[in-house]
Amino acid sequence: ENGTKLGGSLTFFCLWCLPEELVVVTVATRETDGFKRFFRSAKHFNYTVKVGTREKWKSGDHTSSPGGGQKVRLLKAAVEDMKDEKQILLFVESYDVVFASGPSELLKKFQQARHKVVFSSESLIWPDRHLEDKHPHVAEGNRFLGSGGFIGHLPNIKEMLADWTGEDTDSDQLFFTNIYIDPVKRKSINITLDSRCRLFQNLHGALDDVVLKFEDGRVRARNVLYDTLPVVIHGNGPTKLQINYLGNYIPNMWTFETGCTACHEDLRPLTALKESEYPLVLIAIFIQQPTPFVEVFFERLLRLQYPKNRLKLFIYNQEAHHEGQLSSFVKDHGSLYQDVKLVGPEEEMDQAASRNLGFDVCRKDEDCDYLFVLDIEVVLENEETLQILIEQNLPIVAPMITRVGRLWSNFWGALSAEGYYARSEDYVDIVQGRRVGVWSVPYLSSVYLVKAGLLRSELSTYELFTSSLLDPDMAYCHNVRGQGVFMYVTNMHTFGRILSTQNYQTSHLHNDLWQIFENPVDWQERYIHENYTRIMRDQLIETPCPDVYWFPILSDVGCNHIVEEMEHFGKWSGGATTDNRIQGGYENVPTIDIHMNQINFEKEWQKFLLEYIAPITEKMYPGYFTKCSTPLNFVVRYKPDEQPLLVPHHDASTFTINVALNSKDLDYQGGGCRFLRYNCSVQAPRKGWTLLHPGRLTHYHEGLPTTGGVRYIAVSFVDP
């Protein structure tokens, strides 16, 4: 009842024993993803499957050139064994066909055609355009015969097939066309065309005529030109991508009422397995350009919920800039994995060659069950991603990831005529989560899972990524589609995002600090205190002194990176009152410091103040709004033998923020801030926390002596 498992090169007929006298016949050579889709649509309408004749396919690829005669020969042999002359036979293709309705509607529409044999129709003539004038005219609709689908009474079909004496490589389309354009045979057999696409819809030449129709929990394809709802949808010729798109919905694969109805079918659950029984996965990591937050990428890799002894790593690194981070990861954690293979920039491999190699490592490893491709710019936040993808049990499946604030994603919903990006009608809804499911797509990149068996069968060609015309990812997807292998993307879970690598500079010690504009979400996760978002909800703001507010703002890593960046720059001021860095050149209360603009961090720091300080200010000082214009942003260093303290003073600001960048007792002794007017001190500043206080007039204050170690603070004088 669930079909028969097929060999790699077998031709077979599927016979559906339908209500009344209908028999459905189709031909296939292997159990492709297209056939599985066809079978699923048939099963949806309660058709049962029986397997008949099997033999190797010898008619070649007739999608772009004539062929298919072997189908006619096999069909002729099959109908000779059929004795019930009351039977009605439906012939359809399988790889690129879906049923949109059941046999009752099909038979009703056939009876309404009032002919013994009804062929599908096309607006384009194939394969011999010189026969155009011989086709009879029709009152409305398509004039030309399509051989990919027909229905008729068994005796009439036997009569039609009786004259077949051709070769397996001859054109089935031409054979049936010659019968149809012969007035005598057309009348004798009683043939007509389904000109208005009531039974059959061939998509070639009709892409603009066919739309999805959602109604009452059902999905149909509607021909808007003739206002018909065809029963059989055929992606003939160069319309495979469109039938894949329609197949995401028909028949009732996804509806507005039910959502995805097939997303939980044929799953491969892992929960019952012991860790030693988990499939072996090769994770192929590709570093192709300088990329921010590489250390965070490997931290997430370590948190991936999958037994590490069932993982192997293949890491290709093209960037010398990242060698240190990669070496540290392998040294500290490489032993956790079953195997780690590194290929570095010294190999001088281009993108296509490195990916071909990574795929071949899995292909040649008989223990490899899956290949998980993971580009370094992917932010994989969902720790169960790998398990989720394996359980989907699909040939190639990607977790949908997007770029923050944009419609960019790691998949394309459609292709242009030239094979480049085109936006499908449902693309925005899928990306924005208004339609959730598992979607057949023509292109994916950056992160996806491949069944290793494919690499040893349909995708055994080594140079999957190599092309003189296409970039490597496009070449790969082109080759996959050419083998009839489906690619899917799932947005049933939130998986993560992809980083922007534009404008990433590598001239600093901690280059990620400069990513607040390009990758704001990742910057926040890395550098903003983990409790910042709880400040208002959980009332984390403290008031240690009147009108002085104290709250968490920077993470430990953020504090460390700022300090290390300043020490790496190393050009600390001398603490003199003469200071050419400020307007007027005179500093009344000088400090040993480095200004943010000296390390080209001024606009990033001002963005930080506007995004994270200004909202707190507006809450704490009602009615006061600021654009965080900042005359001075700097990091101060206090050392007992250099500048241990700061004398009482007012700040030249409306308000001041003072962020503690390291920890008292651990990094230094002493220190703190005293507000003289209130005789109130904050003597134990917490690392990553900031003091927010008025600058002029009321809050006369001093820096208490640092008695040991080195203390660092980040200070900003903020005006409206």
Side-chain angles (χ1 to χ4, degrees), residues 19-20 22 47 101-111:
E20 303 178 34
L22 183 63
Y47 301 149
S101 188
S104 297
E105 180 179 337
L106 181 74
L107 288 170
K108 180 180 179 181
K109 289 181 174 179
F110 171 57
Q111 291 164 359

Side-chain angles (χ1 to χ4, degrees), residues 11-13 25-29 57 71 74 91-95:
T11 299
F12 64 95
F13 286 103
V25 181
T26 189
V27 178
T29 57
W57 180 251
K71 291 187 295 184
L74 293 171
F91 174 82
V92 289
E93 303 282 2
S94 61
Y95 297 151

Side-chain angles (χ1 to χ4, degrees), residues 444-666:
L444 45 77
S445 65
S446 303
V447 51
Y448 50 89
L449 184 75
V450 183
K451 283 187 175 181
L454 284 175
L455 302 180
R456 304 181 189 107
S457 53
E458 287 93 336
L459 304 182
S460 60
T461 300
Y462 178 82
E463 295 189 339
L464 285 173
F465 290 86
T466 305
S467 171
S468 59
L469 300 176
L470 303 173
D471 71 31
D473 284 330
M474 290 177 64
Y476 165 72
C477 293
H478 173 80
N479 289 328
V480 169
R481 295 193 305 269
Q483 291 299 316
V485 176
F486 285 8
M487 296 173 284
Y488 297 87
V489 65
T490 172
N491 66 340
M492 293 183 66
H493 302 79
T494 299
F495 294 101
R497 57 189 173 274
I498 192 162
L499 296 168
S500 170
T501 58
Q502 295 178 341
N503 304 318
Y504 184 62
Q505 304 297 318
T506 59
S507 56
H508 308 287
L509 179 65
H510 295 295
N511 300 285
D512 297 346
L513 272 173
W514 277 258
Q515 287 293 297
I516 190 170
F517 292 101
E518 294 293 338
N519 293 289
V521 173
D522 298 270
W523 195 93
Q524 175 173 323
E525 287 187 358
R526 186 66 162 164
Y527 292 123
I528 295 300
H529 198 286
E530 63 181 357
N531 291 331
Y532 174 81
T533 56
R534 297 173 47 210
I535 286 176
M536 296 303 177
R537 184 187 70 205
D538 297 341
Q539 299 180 339
L540 293 183
I541 296 181
E542 300 180 15
T543 310
C545 300
D547 283 331
V548 176
Y549 301 103
W550 198 16
F551 54 89
I553 189 70
L554 289 179
S555 67
D556 269 12
V557 172
C559 294
N560 295 342
H561 282 192
I562 291 172
V563 169
E564 290 165 10
E565 199 67 49
M566 292 301 180
E567 288 292 0
H568 179 70
F569 180 72
K571 298 179 181 179
W572 297 92
S573 66
T577 55
T578 301
D579 193 340
N580 294 327
R581 298 172 301 169
I582 62 176
Q583 188 175 0
Y586 180 80
E587 173 59 72
N588 185 42
V589 186
T591 55
I592 303 295
D593 58 47
I594 295 174
H595 288 190
M596 295 295 187
N597 61 14
Q598 290 180 263
I599 63 168
N600 297 316
F601 195 60
E602 185 80 0
K603 62 183 178 61
E604 286 80 9
W605 187 257
Q606 288 186 348
K607 175 71 171 175
F608 156 73
L609 296 175
L610 189 62
E611 291 291 327
Y612 300 101
I613 296 296
I616 307 299
T617 304
E618 292 167 5
K619 292 287 186 181
M620 296 299 101
Y621 303 126
Y624 177 81
F625 301 97
T626 178
K627 294 183 179 179
C628 285
S629 58
T630 51
L632 279 178
N633 301 298
F634 51 96
V635 172
V636 179
R637 184 174 73 182
Y638 291 110
K639 296 171 67 174
D641 58 350
E642 188 177 70
Q643 183 182 24
L645 54 83
L646 198 59
V647 299
H649 63 283
H650 283 294
D651 291 336
S653 65
T654 302
F655 68 88
T656 297
I657 70 161
N658 178 330
V659 186
L661 296 178
N662 56 352
S663 300
K664 184 173 181 176
D665 297 330
L666 181 64

Side-chain angles (χ1 to χ4, degrees), residues 5 20 23 62 128 136 146 150 183 251 265 414 442 539 590 694:
K5 191 70 177 177
E20 303 178 34
V23 176
H62 58 281
D128 187 352
F150 58 85
E265 295 178 1
Q539 299 180 339

Side-chain angles (χ1 to χ4, degrees), residues 411-464:
F411 77 96
W412 296 353
L415 298 182
S416 67
E418 296 76 26
Y420 291 89
Y421 171 82
R423 181 173 291 181
S424 61
E425 294 179 5
D426 57 0
Y427 177 80
V428 174
D429 283 343
I430 292 173
V431 169
Q432 295 183 344
R434 289 191 291 271
R435 298 188 187 184
V436 175
V438 180
W439 314 93
S440 174
V441 296
Y443 171 93
L444 45 77
S445 65
S446 303
V447 51
Y448 50 89
L449 184 75
V450 183
K451 283 187 175 181
L454 284 175
L455 302 180
R456 304 181 189 107
S457 53
E458 287 93 336
L459 304 182
S460 60
T461 300
Y462 178 82
E463 295 189 339
L464 285 173

